[in-house]
Amino acid sequence: MIAPGAVRAGTTEADADRVFAALASAVRRELLRLLRDGGPQPVQALAGHFDMRRPSLSEHLRVLREAGLVSEQRSGRQRIYRLEAAPLAEVQDWLHPYERFWRGRLQDLGALLDRMPDDDVT
């Protein structure tokens, strides 16, 4: 659960929870990567990257769609999926304090290592 006040204006905690839950699956993260790198794609093209039955892939796409991470456009008999990256800003906002935490820790480690004497190798 996200702390009160950590949710963007216009976004509910339930919305944020759906995004995080959608990202919990490696298959869904890979679908997002494919859409990011390859642009909008029909379901058939996405399915070619996975060794799973079509109903399983459709379920993953449904979860992403309900989380607002992808949109679906029908073109004749095809369904074209497009990445909708805006909800990922919620994830970035949540991760930012942890990034600062680890950056500080690594800087402290670097400073400690810089103070340590070098070992002479002979």
Side-chain angles (χ1 to χ4, degrees):
M1 188 174 220
I2 297 175
V7 177
R8 287 177 179 261
T11 303
T12 67
E13 283 191 39
D15 293 336
D17 287 347
R18 271 192 289 280
V19 170
F20 282 101
L23 295 174
S25 164
V27 170
R28 293 191 287 267
R29 291 190 307 272
E30 179 63 9
L31 283 165
L32 293 174
R33 187 195 66 76
L34 290 167
L35 292 170
R36 180 197 67 206
D37 294 349
Q41 299 179 44
V43 133
Q44 296 84 350
L46 294 169
H49 295 277
F50 299 94
D51 185 24
M52 69 175 62
R53 294 184 165 271
R54 186 76 168 272
S56 296
L57 182 66
S58 293
E59 178 64 20
H60 284 292
L61 288 166
R62 182 189 63 76
V63 170
L64 290 171
R65 198 174 55 250
E66 289 177 356
L69 292 165
V70 300
S71 60
E72 175 188 86
Q73 175 185 355
R74 292 180 187 233
S75 176
R77 293 182 61 178
Q78 283 192 332
R79 292 180 182 196
I80 310 293
Y81 284 86
R82 174 186 313 272
L83 174 65
E84 300 294 342
L88 294 173
E90 194 74 42
V91 175
Q92 183 179 6
D93 290 349
W94 186 82
L95 286 173
H96 188 70
Y98 295 97
E99 180 184 347
R100 281 195 322 256
F101 169 82
W102 282 111
R103 189 178 300 125
R105 295 289 184 193
L106 290 172
Q107 286 172 347
D108 292 347
L109 176 61
L112 174 66
L113 292 173
D114 287 344
R115 289 192 307 269
M116 294 177 69
D118 291 334
D119 291 335
D120 289 334
V121 180
T122 56

